[in-house]
Amino acid sequence: MAASAALTNPAPRWRGFNLLYLFARNSDGVVVADDFRWIADWGFDFVRLPMSYLHWVEDNDPYRIREVTLARIDQAVDLGRRHGLHVCLIFHRAPGYSVNRESAEPFSLWRDQEAMDAFCFHWRLFAERYRGVPASELSFDLVNEPPAPSEDGPMSRADHERVIRAATAAIREVDPQRLVIMDGMRWGNECAPELADLGIYQSCRGYLPMGISHYGASWVASKDYPEPVWPGGYGGRDERWTRQTLEQHYAAWVRLRDQGVGVHCGECGCYN
């Protein structure tokens, strides 16, 4: 890809980190002010907060809100603004869905109206809470890594589109200027050109090939991965990854960008 082509991407070229204070139910929820200071001092301009909604509800009731946790999120947003860092809030566990297997949800975000209503309720709550914060300083990424779309699986493409459109509408009813992002399907790897008209950014991942990025990681079956080599890399099947196969994988995201949709990489890295 020519360097000048990247300038057509409507999304800012943020660089930063995921901060896991509220990532899972057993996270301590404590926001560390020095993290924001250090990130800014190092020259970065972005933080992403993956959050479990169970942190701010009482007794697993999605409509009973615990204010003390929301105050911690307020603190993170304020620290980001104070240090010139764009803050992106994302539900790592939303009502009815999480890629994290620490616990099961009682309903399905993609199939059950009850879960989608709760999902929209929470995003409307955040939209109201941060209505005065400029979009240049705060964005909402709706839900982390939706699954692979399938008519007979947990989520079809139509299910996904319905939920994303409903949540975006709920936010815009309260705050029409809020910047909204959606993660790609297939755990951040498949974009949704059918949502290009919605005026939201779409977020990919930078983990492929998984046999390199996740080699040794305990939360995947990495004990079955061969020792990483490049080209090669292993991707869960007998795949041989090269620069060409990576370019082929991201070609759909480039086409989306060329349609005028902001493309953002919400997670990228390698297990140490």
Side-chain angles (χ1 to χ4, degrees):
M1 187 191 309
S4 60
L7 299 177
T8 65
N9 190 355
R13 195 171 184 181
W14 293 308
R15 296 175 177 85
F17 297 88
N18 282 264
L19 298 176
L20 306 185
Y21 312 130
L22 299 160
F23 170 75
R25 191 169 197 170
N26 61 358
S27 303
D28 64 18
V30 176
V31 175
V32 180
D34 274 350
D35 289 349
F36 293 80
R37 178 174 61 82
W38 291 337
I39 289 168
D41 285 351
W42 293 334
F44 295 93
D45 59 4
F46 179 86
V47 294
R48 179 175 177 265
L49 269 66
M51 308 180 298
S52 167
Y53 81 103
L54 296 178
H55 272 282
W56 62 84
V57 302
E58 299 280 359
D59 301 324
N60 295 334
D61 182 339
Y63 295 99
R64 293 180 60 195
I65 303 302
R66 182 183 295 123
E67 179 64 29
V68 65
T69 305
L70 295 186
R72 291 176 175 176
I73 301 170
D74 293 346
Q75 180 189 6
V77 172
D78 182 64
L79 284 164
R81 300 182 73 191
R82 193 184 312 167
H83 291 286
L85 305 174
H86 181 94
V87 176
C88 178
L89 304 180
I90 176 169
F91 286 11
H92 197 271
R93 177 174 294 276
Y97 179 73
S98 177
V99 73
N100 191 328
R101 299 175 183 174
E102 65 172 351
S103 61
E105 285 293 305
F107 42 23
S108 167
L109 174 60
W110 314 110
R111 302 288 191 181
D112 297 334
Q113 185 67 39
E114 179 186 6
M116 190 176 77
D117 289 346
F119 184 58
C120 292
F121 166 81
H122 284 269
W123 275 124
R124 193 177 291 108
L125 178 73
F126 282 107
E128 291 170 347
R129 195 171 188 93
Y130 302 119
R131 183 161 37 194
V133 180
S136 59
E137 299 177 358
L138 179 69
S139 58
F140 295 163
D141 190 338
L142 298 176
V143 60
N144 183 75
E145 297 183 1
S150 170
E151 289 302 321
D152 56 358
M155 182 196 79
S156 69
R157 293 191 80 93
D159 294 330
H160 175 264
E161 181 174 358
R162 182 180 65 256
V163 170
I164 298 303
R165 288 189 182 275
T168 302
I171 292 166
R172 288 177 172 168
E173 285 172 8
V174 176
D175 187 356
Q177 304 307 312
R178 180 58 55 217
L179 174 56
V180 178
I181 304 172
M182 56 145 280
D183 273 13
M185 295 171 284
R186 204 175 298 275
W187 309 285
N189 288 296
E190 183 175 334
C191 60
E194 63 269 26
L195 292 170
D197 66 296
L198 201 49
I200 66 176
Y201 294 172
Q202 298 195 26
S203 181
C204 65
R205 293 292 178 270
Y207 291 136
L208 296 175
M210 293 281 286
I212 291 179
S213 69
H214 283 62
Y215 182 75
S218 62
W219 59 93
V220 295
S222 61
K223 61 180 174 53
D224 300 327
Y225 291 178
E227 186 173 346
V229 295
W230 183 261
Y234 185 73
R237 297 181 294 276
D238 293 329
E239 298 168 327
R240 184 178 184 274
W241 285 82
T242 64
R243 181 187 178 100
Q244 183 180 16
T245 58
L246 282 171
E247 289 179 347
Q248 290 170 348
H249 171 75
Y250 287 107
W253 294 92
V254 174
R255 290 193 296 271
L256 191 71
R257 178 209 63 178
D258 290 345
Q259 289 181 253
V261 176
V263 172
H264 156 78
C265 184
E267 295 182 25
C268 178
C270 189
Y271 179 70
N272 183 352

